[in-house]
């Protein structure tokens, strides 16, 4: 039983013994003692005053006396008004440390076959361009959220919906047909997603020129945008695609395969993956069918122009288009189809969509529609809504000059990490070039991921590559470096399999206790991050624990401790701080090196 549980049951027993009344555990309010007072944990006694019929100070004094006499975890206490500050006994701290040490997965819950199944959708790329900085935030949040939900004992399925159909895809295809001269990723030396992205840009350039020319001839700009020959051709290609034209479909499949190979490389570099990928080209027809079923059941209505709508005014929203007058689907239709396919594939208990905050209204509507269509998780679907991510102006702008390319960002981060850590890494004895490359990759990606994930996801953020690769302050490399430093100490210690003997208590100093107490918070932090869908909660905990360890390491020697007992305790504390950092950072998708 952990310290909090021992004290909680001790307080419950005290109230029954002293005042003759049983109280529930929820009535025992336990918090960390304020740094201005002596003690480790504080019991708030105000809830018991009606039962004790005594002053707060007297009630606290009586409960404190009882705990010292009857609860092994409590060594002494002091009373400040209605607050009972408890000093935890060294034996209890050592026992807690031994419990943490004995559990490799401390703070994590394991899923069983009966655990709820949570599906998380993230990434959602278009097959007409490479992934960009916005996708990086999306992918990192989605992956971290999946790890956090797993650590809370859920079964998790990670999914991606690829937007692989529509006019924007036809634009790239048409441009390649016109100006590509049979170019492939192999002949161009470009990643497939970049190659296709270049043709999307080329289409846009030629299309704008056509519009400009028509306007110069006296046509209204809006009309020119519709009448430009290129856009008409792209629409014709889309119609052929929808009709299953073999030539158009073959080109579509070939170009998409290039893009997927490119995406896979980027996903691998980011350290993310999926259990199941859905494609809009497969889900939109299912969605149309589901909407038509809803129409038959009277859930939706048809307007005079043949378009199909959902009336959501009774829920305080507006009317929502589901099928256009020509029978073609909209995004909402596709999302309904995707939900239908997923529900057939998996017994989903909770569905989390990781999508930017510009889609907040879309998901309000989707939740209502799915609920009305009979999906049991529809009403409770979670839209994990996140803000925009930007770079300081003028830094690392991509080839189009507007968006930051994910591959460029990753390459720059790894290269910057190599330069920043060169002095440190070169001092490591017998290090190979391969290991140097590995450390640069781990540190560069750790810097990128941590900088993005430490920010509350709902907020817009500025990503500063230079600030992120700093070995001091609230950064990934600072935490990674501390982990490597601890692993180095443990290697020097040789036999780090030290066993603690809590029956012969060692006196612990304030900083040792603070570290044990901080590690003990990890399970609650993981649980809270799961409830709040908050990777930033994990990131900030890792930073606080790292900072706490560095203060301890600054003040006390581990290997040169004043006694063997003290050295043993400090090695076990260090070992478990490293373990907790590693487990915490893994929930963010961040690796920690053994040396750097």
């Amino acid at each position: 039983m952990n310290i909090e549980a021992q004290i909680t049951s001790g307080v419950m027993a005290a109230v029954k013994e002293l005042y003759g009344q049983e109280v529930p555990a929820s009535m025992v309010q336990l918090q960390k003692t304020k740094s201005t007072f002596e003690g480790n944990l504080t019991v708030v006694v105000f809830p018991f005053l009606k039962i004790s019929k005594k002053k707060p100070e007297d009630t606290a004094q009586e409960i404190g006396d009882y705990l010292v006499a009857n609860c092994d975890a409590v060594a002494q206490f002091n009373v400040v008004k209605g607050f009972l500050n408890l000093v935890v006994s060294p034996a209890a701290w050592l026992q807690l440390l031994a419990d943490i040490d004995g559990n490799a997965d401390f703070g994590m819950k394991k899923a069983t076959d009966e655990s709820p199944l949570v599906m998380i959708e993230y990434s959602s790329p278009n097959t007409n361009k490479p992934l960009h900085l916005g996708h990086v935030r999306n992918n990192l949040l989605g992956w971290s959220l999946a790890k956090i939900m797993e650590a809370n004992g859920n079964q998790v399925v990670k999914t991606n919906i690829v937007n692989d159909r529509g006019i924007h895809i036809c634009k790239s295809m048409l441009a390649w047909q016109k100006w590509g001269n049979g170019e492939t990723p192999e002949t161009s030396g470009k990643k497939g997603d970049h190659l296709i992205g270049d043709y999307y840009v080329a289409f846009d350039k030629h299309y704008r020129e056509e519009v400009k020319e028509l306007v110069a001839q006296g046509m209204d700009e809006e009309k020119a945008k519709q009448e430009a020959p290129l856009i008409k051709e792209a629409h014709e290609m889309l119609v052929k695609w929808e009709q299953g034209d073999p030539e158009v479909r073959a080109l579509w499949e070939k170009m998409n395969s290039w893009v997927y190979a490119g995406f896979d490389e980027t996903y691998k570099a980011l350290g993310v993956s999926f259990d199941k990928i859905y494609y809009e080209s497969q889900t939109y027809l299912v969605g149309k069918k589901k909407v038509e079923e809803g129409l038959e059941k009277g859930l939706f209505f048809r307007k005079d122009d043949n378009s199909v709508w959902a009336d959501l005014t009774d829920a305080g929203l507006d009317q929502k288009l589901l099928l256009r007058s020509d029978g073609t689907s909209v995004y909402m239709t596709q999302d309904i189809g995707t939900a239908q396919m997923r529900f057939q594939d998996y017994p989903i208990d909770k569905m989390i969509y990781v999508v930017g905050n510009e889609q907040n209204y879309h998901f309000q509507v989707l939740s209502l529609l799915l609920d009305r269509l009979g999906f049991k998780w529809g009403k409770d679907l979670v839209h994990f809504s996140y803000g925009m991510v930007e770079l300081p102006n003028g830094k690392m702008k991509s080839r189009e000059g507007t968006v930051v390319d994910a591959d460029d960002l990753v390459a720059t981060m790894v290269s910057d990490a190599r330069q920043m850590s060169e002095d440190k890494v070169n001092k490591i004895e017998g290090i190979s070039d391969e290991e140097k490359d590995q450390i640069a990759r781990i540190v560069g990606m750790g810097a990128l991921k941590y900088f993005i994930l430490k920010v509350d996801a709902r907020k817009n953020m500025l990503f500063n590559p230079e600030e992120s690769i700093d070995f001091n302050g609230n950064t990934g490399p600072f935490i990674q470096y501390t982990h490597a430093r601890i692993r180095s100490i443990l290697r020097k210690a040789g036999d780090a399999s030290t066993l603690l003997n809590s029956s012969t208590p060692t006196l612990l100093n304030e900083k040792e206790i603070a570290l044990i107490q901080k590690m003990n918070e990890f399970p609650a932090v993981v649980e809270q991050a799961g409830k709040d869908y908050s990777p930033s909660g994990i990131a900030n905990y890792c930073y606080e624990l790292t900072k706490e360890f560095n203060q301890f390491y600054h003040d006390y020697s581990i290997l040169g401790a004043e006694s063997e007992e003290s050295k043993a305790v400090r090695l076990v504390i260090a070992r478990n701080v490293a373990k907790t950092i590693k487990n915490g950072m893994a929930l963010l998708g961040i690796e920690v090196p053994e040396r750097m």
Side-chain angles (χ1 to χ4, degrees), residues 341-492:
M341 287 178 77
R342 286 169 175 165
F343 197 67
Q344 285 166 350
D345 291 344
Y346 299 95
I348 303 168
D349 294 298
K350 187 177 280 296
M351 181 74 216
I352 303 173
Y353 293 87
V354 181
V355 181
N357 55 17
E358 72 280 0
Q359 295 291 332
N360 286 354
Y361 184 74
H362 176 90
F363 283 97
Q364 271 181 285
V365 172
L366 182 63
S367 177
L368 270 174
L369 292 176
L370 292 179
D371 183 54
R372 290 181 184 184
L373 286 165
F375 293 93
K376 66 171 182 165
W377 45 265
K379 198 175 263 176
D380 300 322
L381 74 78
V382 176
H383 172 208
F384 181 79
S385 169
Y386 63 89
M388 293 276 292
V389 53
E390 289 162 1
L391 281 157
N393 283 342
K395 283 189 184 172
M396 287 174 60
K397 286 206 164 182
S398 78
R399 52 192 66 74
E400 287 93 357
T402 49
V403 286
V404 178
D405 179 83
D407 295 318
D408 289 352
L409 181 62
V410 166
T412 305
M413 292 301 295
V414 174
S415 143
D416 287 357
R418 183 177 279 107
Q419 286 174 344
M420 289 286 289
S421 59
E422 207 158 9
D423 291 350
K424 285 181 168 69
V425 169
N426 284 340
K427 286 175 189 163
I428 299 173
E429 231 174 277
I431 187 165
S432 65
D433 287 345
E434 196 183 336
E435 195 180 346
K436 280 183 190 174
D437 290 346
Q438 182 75 327
I439 290 171
R441 182 191 64 77
I442 290 174
V443 174
M445 292 312 296
L448 170 66
K449 292 179 181 187
Y450 186 84
F451 201 94
I452 284 178
L453 293 173
K454 74 176 179 181
V455 179
D456 178 350
R458 290 164 298 192
K459 293 178 179 168
N460 288 350
M461 69 169 291
L462 193 70
F463 173 66
N464 188 325
E466 284 165 22
E467 266 180 45
S468 71
I469 304 188
D470 191 334
F471 286 86
N472 299 299
N474 190 2
T475 66
F478 171 65
I479 297 168
Q480 290 172 318
Y481 186 62
T482 300
H483 177 270
R485 169 187 271 172
I486 296 172
R487 297 304 301 163
S488 165
I489 293 165
L490 294 171
R491 282 193 296 275
K492 281 179 194 158

Side-chain angles (χ1 to χ4, degrees), residues 19 21 39 85 96 112 136 138 140 151 169-170 198 250 256 298 343 357 369 382 493 506 510 521 589:
Y19 313 121
Q21 195 168 324
N85 301 321
L96 174 59
T112 65
V136 171
N138 180 302
L140 299 183
I169 311 297
C170 290
D198 289 348
N256 271 354
F343 197 67
N357 55 17
L369 292 176
V382 176
T506 307
E510 231 175 81
E521 290 170 21

Side-chain angles (χ1 to χ4, degrees), residues 42-46 56-57 60 79-84:
T42 296
V43 179
V44 183
V45 298
F46 295 110
E57 291 86 345
V79 174
V80 179
K81 297 182 176 161
F83 299 95
L84 170 58

